[in-house]
Amino acid sequence: MTEQQLVDLLQSMTLEEKIGQLTQLDGSCFSGEGPVTGPEQELGIPKEKFLLAGSILGVTGADKIEQIRRICIEAQPHHIPPIFMADVINGYQTILPIPLALGCTFEEEAAKKTGDIMAREAAADGLDITFAPMVDLVKDARWGRVMESTGESVYLNSRMAAAMVEGIQGESEDFSGHLGACTKHFAAYGAPMAGREYCAVELSERSLREEYLPSYQAAIHAGSAMMMTSFNTLDRIPVTGNEKIMRGILRDEMGFQGVLISDWNAIGELILNHVAEDKKEAARQAVVAGVDIDMMSGCYMSRMEELVREGTVEEGLIDESVLRILKLKNRLGLFERPNRAEKLPEYGVALLSEENRKVAREIAAKTMVLLKNEENFLPLKREEDVALIGPYMEEKGILGAWSFFGDREKSITILEGVRSKNPSAHAKSGCGILNPGQTVYGFKFHETNEMTEEETERSIQEAAEYAAAHKKVVLALGESPLQTGEGGSRADITIPDVQKKLLDAVYAVNQNLAVIVFAGRPLDIRAIKEKAKSILYVWMPGTEGGNAIADILYGDRVPEAKLSMSLPYCVGQCPVCHNEFWTGRHVEDGENITNRFQSKYQDIPNAPLYPFGYGLSYTDFTYSDVELDRAEIHEGEELEAAVVVENTGAVTGKEVVQLYLTDEYASVARPIRELKGYQKICLAPGEKKKVVFKISMDMLCFYDRKMEYRAEPGSFIVRIGTDSVNGKEARFWLRK
Ligand code: NOJ
């Protein structure tokens, strides 16, 4: 349709119809089951109005979608097709590693491929839009949703955000064969106080602008079709009802022109936030703030008509939002072809293709961080005598907390992966993932935690005997996916106690031990670090996880991942990140320990257990000194910083060469160091490569005392190295 035709359509619509377009309902409203989070009447919408909804979430399966689509089109006066949206986060049927793991690749191509695969599969099964990527910056490992972000660095996050959007949306203007992306959650949802889910966010405007907004901006530049509001308050105002944030910052400043949707019932929660007394006021605040679609609160559909009729809300505001939605439908091609999937070759056929599995396996291996490898414990030799132990050895639930559409029965366990290399391999679980009898809100995880206390005792004992009878042990431990994701905040970020017991029992009889850690967050793994010779942190690796782990265990792939989030020493340190600020009492660990009055803890170090950017390989890399092409630049100029990296080990490996900058003196406190660039290189043994970074003015800019975004003259330290702590330094000056 032309723009004029869309405007004509809008003008011919009744107010009721228009408000329908602004309403998103859950698939259960159409199946007779009733909405997931409450009785139908809570929505305050008569059932017959459901069919006027402009978009529907959470329905999957081409046939089911088509059925609901037909009913809605039929029922709507102008036969406007609905948009189908769902949470396809790290895969649809082929599940790839969770986003936090993806961040550890430091490779946009991997993010793009992930987006591409998940979108192609979901589009072939009838979906139009995914609620992804989540680009919220995260620093606090207690928060369950850190798993959905690519981590703590604004720079890495922004590059990954853009790549994900590109991958999800594909090359064509109408997202053909792909999905539209709904970037979320605007804004700063990733900084809830104390890491507690849905908690208030208190950020300075400077932090918001410097660290939190750029990844959304990157997604907007990459063309994200939609944006989702966040649940949190920001500066005490719930974002979903905040005009300054939505119209002011998101639309006017950041240039977002797409469709803005609330998070689930976030408009209704304005009442629970105690900023609106009822649904009517909540609807008013949200529409004034510029929220186009109301996801599942019913506030728009139940109260908006009244607001317009009495003149509290101008109909122009409604029209603005409806036009944006119609434009998106038009862009998706829904008016011509309401079922976008119909013509796709994959429509109605199996989606978990061998080709997709292959990519999932490669990407999974790229996300696994080798944290420790004493005595070159890994890789294992095929013929080596190894005991495989732990509740994750034969666990198929390794897809992550947000992969509802993937079938965990289709995933490859570690044992299966190892058996493809060593057919006689066996494994013993030792214990369940959770403690005996432990559930997470009534959910159990797996048969293995059906074991009673006594059975568990026996099983641990057996595992220890098994460990004692072998030369080496590989132990697969970790938190449960149920302990992560939305509603997954934890104040204890260690592995479940039963697994600690297993670790102790095995270690007591065999210290030749490697541990594989499954997690949706940075865990406190001090106990593991103390005991294991080798640690491979595999996050939630997805469908091909077991194969990818086996590839790394046996050296068919060389680890190349680097931490996208610091691994805290313990929970008391959270949030901890690489780019902390100078204080008046800064102290490095180990320094000045006799002085009480320093910025430090009495009982733990300041440094995380493993820093951001950290990760080992099966080979070694050495770095030359940093060479600058000039020691001084002036406003608008750039300089080059270069190092020569050499592979001094015995195998070919990839290294993420990282660039950190420090602004030595500025009008406001600046990060002690901050990631500003990275390049991934591949080197054969003995090979050297010169890696050159351009340092441009935008990399030096920040919000100064007057909140002007600029670089201030003075000295800067460039550090290039293998992680956020180790590197070679040089200094340059920005002159007036
Ligand atoms: C709530 C979550 O916060 C959001 O990320 C998700 O997309 C919606 N529910 C829809 O499932």
Side-chain angles (χ1 to χ4, degrees), residues 236-238 241 266-286 299:
R236 319 285 161 88
I237 303 170
I267 300 180
E269 287 181 21
L270 296 177
I271 304 168
L272 303 173
N273 272 298
H274 292 256
V275 300
E277 276 190 19
D278 55 18
K279 284 191 168 191
K280 188 173 164 190
E281 171 58 11
R284 188 197 67 77
Q285 287 186 20
C299 291

Side-chain angles (χ1 to χ4, degrees), residues 219-527:
I220 294 170
H221 281 152
S224 180
M226 290 183 62
M227 187 75 74
M228 188 186 292
T229 71
S230 55
F231 286 122
N232 55 283
T233 59
L234 187 56
D235 192 19
R236 319 285 161 88
I237 303 170
V239 172
T240 302
N242 192 332
E243 189 181 350
K244 193 174 134 204
I245 299 278
M246 297 306 178
R247 291 193 193 270
I249 296 184
L250 178 64
R251 293 219 185 268
D252 296 348
E253 283 186 37
M254 296 171 73
F256 177 63
Q257 292 180 356
V259 171
L260 179 62
I261 187 170
S262 77
D263 201 340
W264 180 290
N265 191 35
I267 300 180
E269 287 181 21
L270 296 177
I271 304 168
L272 303 173
N273 272 298
H274 292 256
V275 300
E277 276 190 19
D278 55 18
K279 284 191 168 191
K280 188 173 164 190
E281 171 58 11
R284 188 197 67 77
Q285 287 186 20
V287 81
V288 168
V291 180
D292 299 318
I293 300 181
D294 169 4
M295 184 201 290
M296 279 307 282
S297 84
C299 291
Y300 279 9
M301 210 178 236
S302 62
R303 307 306 294 272
M304 193 65 83
E305 212 167 324
E306 202 181 330
L307 283 164
V308 175
R309 301 253 182 256
E310 72 188 26
T312 310
V313 166
E314 280 179 30
E315 192 160 351
L317 279 190
I318 311 290
D319 288 354
E320 228 181 70
S321 290
V322 176
L323 191 58
R324 270 197 285 266
I325 294 162
L326 294 179
K327 279 186 182 166
L328 176 59
K329 292 189 174 188
N330 193 38
R331 182 168 179 192
L332 286 160
L334 295 181
F335 292 109
E336 289 76 37
R337 193 153 47 95
N339 180 355
R340 296 163 70 243
E342 212 173 24
K343 295 224 172 87
L344 296 174
E346 300 90 342
Y347 186 48
V349 302
L351 300 170
L352 187 59
S353 68
E354 274 314 306
E355 180 53 28
N356 287 357
R357 275 188 177 271
K358 199 170 148 239
V359 180
R361 179 174 182 164
E362 259 168 43
I363 293 180
K366 283 172 181 286
T367 66
M368 296 173 177
V369 192
L370 183 64
L371 295 175
K372 188 174 174 187
N373 201 19
E374 261 174 26
E375 303 158 20
N376 293 327
F377 189 94
L378 293 179
L380 303 169
K381 289 175 203 70
R382 273 175 164 67
E383 63 287 357
E384 234 167 349
D385 173 31
V386 183
L388 304 177
I389 300 175
Y392 266 109
M393 270 302 164
E394 292 187 74
E395 179 53 63
K396 283 187 175 279
I398 54 175
L399 307 180
W402 271 100
S403 41
F404 322 116
F405 313 122
D407 177 357
R408 76 179 195 189
E409 290 314 311
K410 302 271 171 57
S411 64
I412 307 290
T413 65
I414 304 181
L415 181 62
E416 287 165 339
V418 169
R419 278 206 177 136
S420 67
K421 301 183 195 285
N422 175 3
S424 62
H426 286 282
K428 286 204 181 294
S429 70
C431 62
I433 288 173
L434 295 170
N435 301 327
Q438 185 184 356
T439 63
V440 180
Y441 299 109
F443 289 98
K444 291 182 179 170
F445 186 63
H446 190 259
E447 304 72 66
T448 46
N449 78 345
E450 295 287 313
M451 280 194 268
T452 61
E453 300 256 2
E454 299 74 57
E455 284 164 348
T456 303
E457 289 293 324
R458 242 177 292 137
S459 179
I460 291 180
Q461 185 53 37
E462 256 175 47
E465 284 161 19
Y466 189 58
H470 289 76
K471 268 221 168 96
K472 285 183 168 180
V473 180
V474 176
L475 198 50
L477 307 174
E479 65 179 341
S480 157
L482 288 178
Q483 296 177 299
T484 75
E486 189 173 353
S489 292
R490 294 183 67 195
D492 171 358
I493 53 169
T494 59
I495 55 172
D497 289 345
V498 69
Q499 296 187 44
K500 291 177 199 156
K501 272 195 196 159
L502 175 66
L503 172 66
D504 290 345
V506 167
Y507 180 75
V509 296
N510 193 339
Q511 287 93 52
N512 260 332
L513 179 65
V515 177
I516 298 170
V517 184
F518 285 79
R521 57 159 57 77
L523 290 170
D524 165 356
I525 56 162
R526 275 173 301 164

